[in-house]
Amino acid sequence: MRATLAVLTICAAISFGTFAMAQDRPVVIVELFTSQGCSSCPPADAFLGELAEHDGVLPLAMHVDYWDYIGWKDTFARPEHTLRQKAYAYGFGTRSIYTPQMVVGGADQVVGSHVMQIMEILHRHQDGAQNVAMKVIKGDNGARLLRVERQTHRNLPTALFIQLVRFIPKATVDIKRGENAGRTITSTNVVTDISSFGSWDGKSAVEFELPTPVAPDGQDAAVVLQSETKGGYPGPILAAIRLD
């Protein structure tokens, strides 16, 4: 396991040497479906932490609950994350879910420890056109508003949902039982809640009032604009912004 982590670190360092981090490029959401009870997950958890150090990428740890039966109940697991992973699987046309799995931009799936493949996918998403812009502005009543507007003449999906994601920036847990017994695992951007607070037809610019507060003390938040597939499953993410 240590040798694997060393390889991950070296590969990440090489890949980030050429990773585009221009501020005018889209923020790419990387969702890692992981579990404290999965012996294959710690290297992917560590790599997610590496991704969090770089602009242009917002990695999110989605802890699932289906490994809780093997001796250790994940302290961050949520059944909603398992349902989200299953919905992605249906949308991708697959029948199984696993950990560690990364979903990049809501559009590409990859094993969470396949660093070079992940970096290749990230580069492709980063080089893509930014068709939607999101920014936070102040309303007349002092409220914080999220403004969403298109930046392309191409047709956009008409089923687009504005999601508020809350997460813990960093958390360290001592694992007492299960496959990772005796290990100390540090998780990055651990998602605690995802909730939709608006929808958009992809046409005229719209503004939404942000919830107050956007996140509990000790947590951060981001807004994600995600499409929906014809089957009603989560689809490609068109835009994302991290909230201050």
Side-chain angles (χ1 to χ4, degrees):
M1 194 66 73
R2 291 180 180 176
T4 302
L5 183 55
V7 172
L8 285 173
T9 304
I10 293 171
C11 290
I14 293 172
S15 298
F16 279 128
T18 58
F19 190 69
M21 293 180 288
Q23 293 298 317
D24 59 345
R25 295 197 173 189
V27 173
V28 181
I29 298 292
V30 178
E31 300 173 62
L32 172 64
F33 293 94
T34 184
S35 172
Q36 295 167 354
C38 161
S39 62
S40 301
C41 286
D45 295 329
F47 180 52
L48 198 77
E50 295 281 345
L51 290 176
E53 298 299 320
H54 296 267
D55 295 332
V57 184
L58 179 55
L60 299 171
M62 304 279 188
H63 285 245
V64 297
D65 62 354
Y66 50 83
W67 294 128
D68 287 357
Y69 75 94
I70 59 177
W72 177 259
K73 186 174 181 179
D74 191 306
T75 55
F76 301 120
R78 299 178 67 88
E80 299 94 324
H81 298 166
T82 300
L83 292 175
R84 183 173 176 86
Q85 188 182 22
K86 288 181 177 179
Y88 271 130
Y90 290 133
F92 291 140
T94 59
R95 295 185 178 182
S96 61
I97 56 176
Y98 63 91
T99 55
Q101 180 193 34
M102 283 187 179
V103 176
V104 182
D108 293 287
Q109 59 172 330
V110 62
V111 176
S113 56
H114 290 181
V115 176
M116 300 306 292
Q117 186 178 357
I118 293 165
M119 296 309 301
E120 180 182 347
I121 294 171
L122 274 172
H123 278 291
R124 175 158 47 81
H125 279 262
Q126 195 74 44
D127 289 339
Q130 187 170 4
N131 295 320
V132 178
M134 294 198 300
K135 61 181 178 179
V136 177
I137 61 175
K138 184 175 290 188
D140 294 336
N141 60 353
R144 297 176 73 198
L145 304 177
L146 176 76
R147 181 174 177 82
V148 183
E149 57 186 329
R150 59 185 297 152
Q151 292 190 317
T152 180
H153 296 296
R154 298 189 305 173
N155 291 332
L156 297 177
T158 56
L160 294 165
F161 297 91
I162 312 290
Q163 300 170 322
L164 180 64
V165 183
R166 297 181 173 99
F167 53 93
I168 302 169
K170 194 78 68 175
T172 300
V173 176
D174 295 324
I175 310 300
K176 304 297 185 182
R177 297 178 300 278
E179 292 186 354
N180 289 318
R183 302 190 65 160
T184 297
I185 297 178
T186 297
S187 299
T188 303
N189 294 352
V190 181
V191 174
T192 59
D193 180 68
I194 304 178
S195 56
S196 295
F197 67 97
S199 60
W200 184 44
D201 61 8
K203 298 177 182 177
S204 301
V206 292
E207 294 175 358
F208 300 91
E209 184 170 343
L210 291 171
T212 304
V214 294
D217 290 342
Q219 296 191 27
D220 290 343
V223 173
V224 174
L225 176 67
Q226 188 162 25
S227 63
E228 189 175 80
T229 68
K230 291 181 179 179
Y233 306 117
I237 293 172
L238 276 68
I241 183 174
R242 187 163 183 163
L243 302 176
D244 297 327

